[in-house]
Amino acid sequence: MISGALLTSSQVYAQDYRAAAEKALDEHFQRSTLSREEQLAELEWFIKAAEPFRGMEIKTVAEGLTTHTYEAEVLAEVFTDITGIEVEHNIIGEGDVVDTMQTQMQSDRNIYDAFVNDSDAIGTHLRYGKTVAISDAMENEWKDFTNPDLDLDDFIGLQYTTGPDGKIYQLPTQQFANLYWFRADWFDREDLQEQFKERYGYDLGVPLNWSAYEDIAEFFSVHVKEIDGERVYGHMDYGRRDPSLGWRFHDSWLSMAGMGSKGVPFGNPVDDWGIRVNEDGNPVGASVSRGGATNSPASVYAVTKMVEWLRDYAPESARGMTFGEAGPVPAQGQIAQQIFWYTAFTADMTDPSLPVTDDEGNPKWRMAPSPAGPYWEEGMKVGYQDVGSWTFFDSTPEDRRTAAWLFAQFTVSKTVSLEKTIAGLTPIRRSDIFSDEMTELAPKLGGLVEFYRSENESMWTPTGTNVPDYPRLAPLWWQNLAPAVNGEVTPKKALDDLAAAMDRTMSRLARADVFDQYAPILNEERDEQYWLDQPGAPKPALENEKPQGKTKPYDQMMEEWMAE
């Protein structure tokens, strides 16, 4: 009688979980690249795999993006309903995520059972030996708990979460790029086109280089000044002394100017932070005197332009803004273009009530490939891409870590990923990008779908494996560059200080013997000219840092973009 009762109870539970799965498909996941039968089969796998962990409570954490809010408000609840595993998916600031992650790594105390951490920290994860290599776990402790339909080949950002040892350390769950944004309706006005051509000698269009971007910024801020009675500006940025100011620079701004080495996804041997590595992958320096490029002429040019454009062509209030405060400003209708614009703000640009959309909700704006600086060469990365990824630590008890692995897989499963992509517009799967649903949405998204469908998308990449300790090195950027942005020191002085600080930190970490592999081995300092005379980065100063501006009509650019 007892065993029969238990069997009946188990069967009842199974029926309840299946009913919850069917309800979730009806209420939340009607749009998917899978058929309903395939979705249900995938959810039934999660129901079965979760049996050993039912009743467990797990805690995960992510930064405050729309995508992660969707995970917290929709996916965590559904996952709990179909598995019996209680999930608390916390949403906190990006800096807090990094700080908490660092604390867990240093203390070996389990704070969260899984983190959504940017792939920018891949260099940290592969060196410290604290991060569980997902590809190893999938063959061992997670062998029976890995979704057979996970389909790693379908992920567009997996190369960024893979170390030089070939191991996958993180699983992408959201992805967005840093592109050029502009008001297509203003650029199409014949009166503005004529004025621009008369003043600058070439056509108003999507800038291909920084010279053209600067001319367009000057044109709208200084010469046009008003459109339809409203003050307008040719540039938008932010400059407040804040951790987000560091992202403004180390999210590939120096590489966009052309500071680093050729190579994708990460410049080799000099990356987009200016850190050089030797043939074995050991960091050997950030300063030009050690073969790095953080304080090279190309970097000085890049920081100088950021400071000048913020001062001369952006709204005065931008200087006191942070990343989060500045992000929504272009949607308010006064900005003509922005060279450093994150596609994470796409969802905030699509509200029909905004001045940047028409009466039918179609965008008056477009996004396009980023213009390149004068030091940039063919074969270099073009811009930055953020890849927020599930990350697991060995300090988490194995049962809790495995339960969290199940939740992580659920948030990226094909059953739910298309709906999540539409909610947050941070796609991670090729199958979602090329779906009929995204084709239908494309006209409303101003070029986002076209960007991710192009082979060229892979030229926008995150911070690479040269950075040995992201949590310790990242703060040095805003702390040392804020004085330049505020006009207290020259860009050259700020970059010299930054490069020296990074070298000191890497040297200190090497002496502390904290790394399992790829530890820094700094080059001895020598005359900078020695390195500037070598091929590649660091590069000597150009005689002319403002070549002729070049532009291209948007439609022609996108046609060529999609054809390549």
Side-chain angles (χ1 to χ4, degrees):
M1 289 292 294
I2 294 178
S3 61
L6 289 175
L7 180 62
T8 302
S9 175
S10 176
Q11 289 174 335
V12 169
Y13 280 126
Q15 291 172 357
D16 287 345
Y17 291 129
R18 182 186 171 92
E22 298 215 32
K23 180 182 178 183
L25 295 182
D26 291 335
E27 294 184 357
H28 298 294
F29 311 126
Q30 293 188 356
R31 292 176 290 191
S32 171
T33 57
L34 302 181
S35 67
R36 182 182 173 88
E37 290 73 22
E38 290 170 330
Q39 286 180 289
L40 192 56
E42 185 169 56
L43 294 185
E44 287 181 329
W45 179 86
F46 280 103
I47 292 171
K48 179 68 175 175
E51 285 181 359
F53 312 104
R54 284 179 189 159
M56 181 179 289
E57 298 179 6
I58 60 173
K59 292 177 62 178
T60 59
V61 67
E63 64 175 293
L65 295 178
T66 301
T67 294
H68 300 315
T69 300
Y70 179 82
E71 291 168 349
E73 295 180 352
V74 176
L75 299 187
E77 182 177 337
V78 170
F79 181 77
T80 296
D81 289 343
I82 69 170
T83 65
I85 301 171
E86 293 281 344
V87 179
E88 181 184 322
H89 192 47
N90 294 267
I91 305 299
I92 62 178
E94 181 179 5
D96 295 327
V97 172
V98 174
D99 290 344
T100 308
M101 180 188 77
Q102 184 179 31
T103 299
Q104 181 153 335
M105 292 176 67
Q106 290 177 337
S107 67
D108 288 327
R109 178 172 59 90
N110 189 52
I111 303 172
Y112 289 106
D113 302 310
F115 289 74
V116 175
N117 169 234
D118 288 351
S119 71
D120 297 328
I122 180 68
T124 309
H125 295 310
L126 69 91
R127 285 179 171 87
Y128 271 95
K130 302 280 189 175
T131 304
V132 174
I134 287 173
S135 51
D136 285 349
M138 288 171 62
E139 296 178 358
N140 295 288
E141 65 263 34
W142 290 346
K143 185 175 182 180
D144 296 330
F145 300 99
T146 295
N147 181 4
D149 297 317
L150 183 59
D151 193 3
L152 290 177
D153 291 339
D154 193 37
F155 285 79
I156 60 177
L158 204 67
Q159 67 269 37
Y160 310 134
T161 63
T162 302
D165 54 7
K167 295 181 180 182
I168 300 169
Y169 285 86
Q170 301 169 281
L171 184 69
T173 187
Q174 56 87 358
Q175 188 160 333
F176 60 89
N178 196 317
L179 300 178
Y180 171 76
W181 179 95
F182 72 107
R183 285 291 297 270
D185 57 333
W186 293 355
F187 279 46
D188 287 342
R189 283 179 48 162
E190 290 185 6
D191 58 333
L192 296 180
Q193 290 177 348
E194 291 173 1
Q195 292 174 39
F196 186 86
K197 181 70 172 288
E198 181 178 354
R199 182 172 294 277
Y200 297 98
Y202 61 99
D203 293 331
L204 176 61
V206 177
L208 302 181
N209 58 15
W210 284 20
S211 299
Y213 183 85
E214 185 171 65
D215 288 345
I216 296 169
E218 179 188 70
F219 176 66
F220 280 100
S221 293
V222 177
H223 303 296
V224 177
K225 290 187 178 179
E226 288 190 0
I227 293 179
D228 300 329
E230 293 288 333
R231 178 71 168 100
V232 300
Y233 299 89
H235 176 62
M236 183 59 201
D237 211 331
Y238 61 96
R240 184 174 173 181
R241 183 184 173 90
D242 173 85
S244 66
L245 187 61
W247 316 338
R248 175 62 184 80
F249 291 103
H250 62 61
D251 284 2
S252 302
W253 181 245
L254 307 187
S255 263
M256 290 170 65
M259 169 273 292
S261 298
K262 295 180 181 180
V264 175
F266 319 119
N268 184 33
V270 179
D271 72 350
D272 50 347
W273 285 39
I275 297 175
R276 174 181 286 268
V277 294
N278 62 21
E279 293 180 356
D280 295 324
N282 305 95
V284 296
S287 300
V288 174
S289 60
R290 300 183 193 272
T294 304
N295 58 333
S296 66
S299 301
V300 174
Y301 164 81
V303 175
T304 298
K305 287 303 164 187
M306 184 276 176
V307 174
E308 289 178 354
W309 295 346
L310 176 64
R311 179 192 67 209
D312 297 338
Y313 305 130
E316 186 175 350
S317 58
R319 299 177 215 174
M321 289 185 178
T322 64
F323 164 80
E325 293 164 344
V329 171
Q332 297 168 10
Q334 293 179 286
I335 308 301
Q337 60 170 359
Q338 185 167 340
I339 190 172
F340 198 81
W341 182 79
Y342 290 91
T343 62
F345 292 112
T346 304
D348 300 325
M349 288 277 184
T350 59
D351 189 324
S353 67
L354 293 171
V356 295
T357 57
D358 64 21
D359 294 339
E360 297 179 356
N362 297 308
K364 298 177 182 179
W365 51 270
R366 296 290 186 272
M367 62 183 79
S370 315
Y375 291 86
W376 188 86
E377 302 170 83
E378 197 71 38
M380 292 181 61
K381 66 182 289 183
V382 180
Y384 174 77
Q385 192 143 199
D386 183 290
V387 184
S389 307
W390 285 105
T391 311
F392 304 85
F393 296 108
D394 59 9
S395 53
T396 301
E398 185 176 328
D399 58 342
R400 302 183 64 82
R401 192 167 64 228
T402 303
W405 168 239
L406 289 175
F407 176 60
Q409 292 178 93
F410 177 71
T411 67
V412 301
S413 65
K414 291 182 181 179
T415 292
V416 311
S417 64
L418 180 55
E419 288 287 1
K420 188 174 82 166
T421 293
I422 293 170
L425 300 179
T426 56
I428 54 168
R429 286 188 176 273
R430 290 183 180 86
S431 55
D432 291 334
I433 286 294
F434 285 94
S435 67
D436 292 341
E437 288 83 356
M438 292 306 290
T439 298
E440 184 178 346
L441 280 174
K444 302 285 188 182
L445 302 181
L448 180 72
V449 175
E450 290 82 354
F451 171 77
Y452 276 105
R453 286 183 174 179
S454 170
E455 292 292 328
N456 292 297
E457 172 269 335
S458 61
M459 301 296 288
W460 277 254
T461 69
T463 298
T465 55
N466 290 19
V467 179
D469 191 319
Y470 186 95
R472 285 187 172 88
L473 292 174
L476 301 178
W477 285 73
W478 69 271
Q479 293 164 4
N480 285 282
L481 295 183
V485 176
N486 296 333
E488 299 166 14
V489 301
T490 65
K492 179 66 166 70
K493 174 67 165 62
L495 286 163
D496 285 344
D497 291 344
L498 170 62
M502 287 206 290
D503 284 345
R504 285 195 302 271
T505 300
M506 289 191 288
S507 178
R508 187 174 68 250
L509 290 170
R511 289 196 305 271
D513 194 24
V514 296
F515 297 120
D516 274 15
Q517 55 184 346
Y518 306 110
I521 305 173
L522 295 193
N523 286 335
E524 292 296 324
E525 288 195 272
R526 61 195 307 170
D527 185 85
E528 291 187 357
Q529 196 60 46
Y530 168 82
W531 289 104
L532 294 173
D533 288 341
Q534 305 301 313
K539 304 167 186 177
L542 294 170
E543 290 185 9
N544 178 20
E545 292 184 327
K546 191 176 182 184
Q548 173 64 39
K550 295 180 181 179
T551 60
K552 187 172 285 189
Y554 175 76
D555 290 342
Q556 180 185 343
M557 169 175 275
M558 294 309 292
E559 183 178 344
E560 294 173 359
W561 173 262
M562 296 304 294
E564 293 182 11

